[in-house]
Amino acid sequence: MSTVRTAAVVLAAVSAFALSACGPSEDGAADTGSATPPAGATASRTPSTPAAPPKAPSASSTPPAPSAPSASAPASGPSASATDADYDVFPCSTYDVTFSAHLAEPTTSSYLLKITNKSGKACRALGHPVVTFGDLDGQATQRGEAPGIEDALRLGPGESAYAGLLGGAHDGTGKTVGSIALTMDTESDLEQKPLTASTPGLYVSPTANSVTPWVDNAEDALSL
C-alpha cells in the first residue's frame, strides 16, 4: 500500500513539473522552448535594400558655354576705314623719293617729272611739285587744282607719281637752263634736300612756265 502511494506522489510531481515548463512566460507569451543559439552562430537577417544608383548630373550642373565677344569689343586689327588706316601716312619729302625728268615735247620744253617712293613705308604726294630752274630766281607756277590732303595721292613703297612741267614756247623773253631742282610740298617747315635732274636745252618762259599736281599716270601728267 505504501509503495502505491509513493508512486502516485512521484507521478504527481512529474506532472506538475511538466505543466510548469510549458506554461506562459512572465510577459504572457508562450515559451517555445527553443534553445538560445550558441555564441558565434550567424543569425539570419532580412536582405537590406540595395542603395540607389547615383543620379546623373542635372542639366543645371553643365558649365555654361563661353559667350561670344561683344560687338563693342575693340578689334585687334586695323580699322576697315581708309581714313583710319591712313591716319599716320605722312607727306612725302625728298628723303622718301627718287626723282627723274624726261623730255616729252621739245618745242614747248615739256618734261615728264617722276618720283618713286624708295622708303619702306607709305607716304602722300601732296599738291604740286616745287620746281626751280637752275640759277634762275623763282619757281614754276602751278597749273591745275590739286586734291586736299585727305585725297592726296598715296604712294606705297616702290610706287610712283608723275607731274608735267612746261617751260613755255621760245618767245625770246626767257632763258635756257641745263637742270632743275625739286622739293616736295609737305605743308610744314620740314627742311629738305633738293633733288636735281638734268634738263639740257630747257627753255623757261617767265610767263608761260607751269607744273601740274602729282597724278598716278604719265598720260594725265602731260595732258593737264
Side-chain angles (χ1 to χ4, degrees):
M1 183 66 178
S2 58
T3 302
V4 172
R5 182 177 293 179
T6 299
V9 172
V10 171
L11 180 59
V14 170
S15 297
F17 177 79
L19 289 174
S20 65
C22 296
S25 63
E26 293 180 359
D27 58 3
D31 189 355
T32 61
S34 60
T36 302
T42 303
S44 62
R45 296 181 181 178
T46 304
S48 60
T49 304
K55 294 182 179 180
S58 65
S60 62
S61 65
T62 304
S67 59
S70 168
S72 61
S76 58
S79 169
S81 150
T83 301
D84 292 343
D86 292 344
Y87 76 96
D88 59 348
V89 177
F90 295 101
C92 302
S93 77
T94 55
Y95 297 106
D96 300 315
V97 299
T98 59
F99 168 56
S100 62
H102 303 280
L103 182 63
E105 174 55 56
T107 58
T108 56
S109 289
S110 178
Y111 274 79
L112 176 67
L113 311 183
K114 177 183 177 181
I115 57 170
T116 301
N117 184 355
K118 67 176 182 179
S119 73
K121 63 184 186 302
C123 65
R124 290 191 180 277
L126 300 187
H128 294 72
V130 179
V131 178
T132 56
F133 303 99
D135 57 359
L136 298 181
D137 292 334
Q139 64 188 48
T141 59
Q142 296 179 353
R143 180 170 85 249
E145 185 177 354
I149 187 170
E150 299 84 359
D151 300 316
L153 187 60
R154 183 184 188 277
L155 299 182
E159 294 182 338
S160 299
Y162 304 87
L165 175 65
L166 183 66
H170 291 249
D171 58 4
T173 62
K175 292 184 178 180
T176 301
V177 297
S179 67
I180 59 175
L182 172 139
T183 55
M184 301 292 295
D185 178 6
T186 62
E187 291 197 349
S188 71
D189 57 359
L190 174 68
E191 186 176 351
Q192 302 178 70
K193 180 181 179 180
L195 302 177
T196 60
S198 176
T199 56
L202 171 59
Y203 183 82
V204 182
S205 167
T207 58
N209 74 81
S210 62
V211 67
T212 71
W214 293 112
V215 294
D216 60 2
N217 66 87
E219 183 178 355
D220 286 348
L222 294 173
S223 61
L224 289 177

